[in-house]
């Protein structure tokens, strides 16, 4: 579906190391600010044992898992909203993503420079949040300067509605409150969509700890990040980016054996991919056959014709019906024919809302 998450953070917090691990790409990860200037983009496979099962069942020549896009964005510094560091370039790159993954340094290391001189994850988070708030506030003030007079003189309903929503934004932002914390209704969100505000994007924090902490448990820094995120209703993934980068170079069997040896059940990367996928309200449906087994990403709440349109626009335009069975039913009965005999194969129409794990065959005519 083209949805993507942007990896952000202050310089030298482990963003590029994490990105290397996520995408297994050997990009520059240097110990100085702005080692990353242009955003690096990587496509990752979303881990899903269901597609492995389907591939073994149908044995097709082509197996296509669902994917997700991560963008590594240059490190931000205090004053970015006023042009400091890479300033506007950094902010413009964040505007292009759908969700924010904020990497926060939660380790001490005298060999890795910290731009503020000390490890303080909550302060780091607030530096970034303030810059994003200021950037959004600038947009709000500029727009209000143009639209407020029009709303007063013309009494245009759309202009009045826009002014009301923007004034709510202004109050929140001046109180240093990200817009994602405000409960906007559907009509307000439609208005806000035009502005692509930074602080309205969903966010998840990555507490980047040292290798010892990932084994023994949270350190004081990661606990501080968890407390901060809980207060604002955001998620946290604790991981060691350096360890994940080392793991990324191993074969799957060696990787699993290493994780077991240190007492870790799931890698931080898998947790991050799942968490980001869920953060954006995404789910997976499947198409299967002797020629191809494929996983497709869709937004939770989409109806059958919309999901058909993800495959091809003609399928949405000429949608007739969808033949649907759940992965769980196919897993239970082990065979399509037995699923059908058990009455578990359904014929669904245009109003059917696709569910995670649905296996679909769309009928259409154009």
């Amino acid at each position: 579906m083209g949805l993507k998450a942007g990896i952000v953070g202050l310089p030298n917090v482990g963003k590029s190391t994490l990105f290397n691990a996520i995408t297994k790409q050997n990009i520059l990860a240097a110990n100085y600010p702005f080692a990353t200037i242009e955003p690096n983009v990587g496509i990752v496979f979303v881990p899903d044992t269901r597609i492995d099962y389907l591939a073994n069942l149908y044995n097709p020549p082509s197996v296509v898992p669902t994917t997700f896009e991560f963008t590594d964005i240059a490190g931000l510094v205090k004053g970015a909203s006023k042009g400091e560091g890479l300033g506007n370039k950094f902010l413009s790159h964040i505007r292009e993503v759908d969700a924010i993954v904020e990497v926060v340094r939660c380790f001490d290391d005298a060999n890795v420079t910290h731009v503020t001189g000390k490890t303080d994850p909550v302060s780091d988070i607030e530096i970034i949040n303030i810059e994003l708030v200021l950037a959004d506030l600038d947009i709000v003030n500029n727009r209000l300067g143009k639209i407020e007079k029009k709303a007063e003189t013309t009494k245009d309903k759309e202009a009045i509605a826009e002014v009301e929503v923007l004034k709510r934004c202004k109050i929140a932002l001046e109180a240093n409150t990200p817009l994602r914390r405000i409960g906007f209704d559907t009509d307000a969100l439609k208005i806000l969509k035009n502005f692509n505000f930074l602080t309205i994007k969903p966010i998840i924090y990555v507490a980047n700890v040292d290798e010892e902490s990932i084994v023994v448990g949270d350190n004081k820094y990661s606990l501080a990040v968890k407390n901060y995120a809980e207060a604002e209703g955001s998620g946290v993934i604790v991981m060691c980016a350096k360890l994940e980068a080392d793991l990324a170079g191993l074969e799957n069997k060696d990787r699993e054996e290493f994780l077991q040896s240190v007492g870790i059940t799931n890698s931080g990367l898998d947790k991050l991919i799942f968490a980001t996928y869920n953060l954006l309200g995404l789910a997976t449906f499947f198409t299967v056959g002797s020629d191809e087994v494929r996983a497709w990403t869709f937004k939770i709440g989409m109806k059958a014709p919309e999901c058909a349109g993800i495959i091809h626009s003609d399928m949405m335009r000429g949608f007739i019906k969808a033949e649907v069975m759940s992965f769980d039913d196919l897993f239970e009965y082990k065979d399509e024919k037995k699923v059908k005999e058990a009455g578990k194969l359904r014929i669904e129409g245009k109003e059917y809302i696709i569910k995670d794990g649905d296996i679909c065959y769309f009928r259409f005519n154009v």
Side-chain angles (χ1 to χ4, degrees):
M1 286 187 64
L3 295 174
K4 57 186 177 182
I7 303 174
V8 306
L10 295 178
N12 302 339
V13 297
K15 292 186 303 82
S16 295
T17 303
L18 174 61
F19 184 79
N20 286 345
I22 287 174
T23 61
K24 298 185 182 179
Q25 292 186 29
N26 188 27
I27 62 166
L28 178 63
N31 179 26
Y32 55 88
F34 314 128
T36 307
I37 297 177
E38 292 300 326
N40 297 283
V41 178
I43 306 296
V44 299
F45 295 119
V46 178
D48 195 331
T49 56
R50 295 176 298 183
I51 197 166
D52 297 329
Y53 177 85
L54 294 171
N56 289 328
L57 186 65
Y58 289 89
N59 196 28
S62 173
V63 178
V64 185
T66 191
T67 60
F68 195 80
E69 184 175 311
F70 281 94
T71 302
D72 179 32
I73 298 172
L76 178 145
V77 295
K78 189 174 182 179
S81 60
K82 303 300 181 185
E84 293 295 326
L86 295 172
N88 294 332
K89 198 169 201 178
F90 172 93
L91 297 171
S92 68
H93 290 153
I94 301 180
R95 292 196 193 282
E96 295 170 4
V97 304
D98 303 287
I100 297 173
V101 175
E102 185 171 330
V103 182
V104 188
R105 177 169 167 167
C106 293
F107 62 89
D108 291 317
D109 188 337
N111 296 316
V112 180
T113 305
H114 192 292
V115 290
T116 66
K118 65 176 182 177
T119 305
D120 186 344
V122 171
S123 174
D124 293 353
I125 290 172
E126 289 180 342
I127 286 173
I128 289 183
N129 284 354
I130 287 171
E131 295 305 322
L132 302 186
V133 162
L134 290 173
D136 281 354
L137 185 58
D138 190 47
I139 291 175
V140 169
N141 286 333
N142 286 337
R143 181 57 181 169
L144 279 174
K146 296 175 182 177
I147 194 72
E148 203 165 6
K149 185 174 287 186
K150 176 186 175 183
E152 290 175 0
T153 56
T154 66
K155 306 300 180 185
D156 179 79
K157 289 184 179 179
E158 291 185 2
I160 291 171
E162 183 178 330
V163 167
E164 289 177 353
V165 173
L166 290 176
K167 283 185 174 180
R168 283 187 67 194
C169 293
K170 182 179 173 70
I171 292 169
L173 294 168
E174 287 181 339
N176 197 29
T177 302
L179 297 180
R180 62 179 167 272
R181 298 189 198 173
I182 309 303
F184 294 110
D185 61 24
T186 304
D187 290 336
L189 289 173
K190 285 180 182 178
I191 294 171
L192 295 176
K193 189 176 181 180
N194 299 322
F195 298 98
N196 206 10
F197 286 124
L198 299 171
T199 64
I200 206 167
K201 296 179 187 295
I203 191 169
I204 189 166
Y205 297 102
V206 172
N208 184 20
V209 300
D210 54 27
E211 293 179 60
E212 180 182 353
S213 297
I214 205 67
V215 176
V216 301
D218 284 303
N219 60 33
K220 63 181 181 180
Y221 300 130
S222 60
L223 284 173
V225 174
K226 284 186 173 181
N227 290 335
Y228 184 95
E230 184 179 357
E232 72 165 17
S234 297
V236 179
I237 300 293
V238 178
M239 69 166 68
C240 173
K242 183 177 181 298
L243 177 63
E244 297 292 341
D246 292 340
L247 285 172
L250 300 178
E251 296 295 329
N252 286 341
K253 184 179 179 181
D254 294 336
R255 183 167 165 264
E256 289 174 9
E257 288 178 355
F258 180 84
L259 288 172
Q260 289 176 2
S261 71
V262 295
I264 302 173
T265 52
N266 293 309
S267 77
L269 286 185
D270 287 350
K271 292 177 183 177
L272 176 61
I273 292 169
F274 284 131
T276 310
Y277 202 69
N278 292 333
L279 186 67
L280 286 171
L282 303 179
T284 304
F285 74 88
F286 302 94
T287 53
V288 300
S290 58
D291 56 339
E292 182 182 77
V293 166
R294 183 161 184 160
W296 302 86
T297 300
F298 71 100
K299 290 278 282 186
I300 293 172
M302 290 178 70
K303 294 181 179 179
E306 295 174 291
C307 287
I310 293 172
I311 301 174
H312 198 286
S313 57
D314 284 349
M315 296 178 74
M316 180 175 178
R317 185 160 54 92
F319 179 88
I320 299 172
K321 62 182 179 180
E323 296 179 8
V324 182
M325 60 180 165
S326 73
F327 171 83
D328 290 342
D329 287 336
L330 182 59
F331 183 79
E332 179 182 350
Y333 291 99
K334 307 292 190 294
D335 182 86
E336 271 192 42
K337 185 178 179 182
K338 290 179 181 178
V339 171
K340 189 173 183 179
E341 288 172 351
K344 300 292 186 177
L345 180 67
R346 311 183 308 277
I347 304 298
E348 303 288 359
K350 293 181 178 181
E351 296 304 309
Y352 176 70
I353 297 173
I354 298 291
K355 298 177 179 61
D356 182 61
D358 276 351
I359 299 170
C360 304
Y361 178 75
F362 297 109
R363 296 194 177 277
F364 69 103
N365 183 38
V366 291

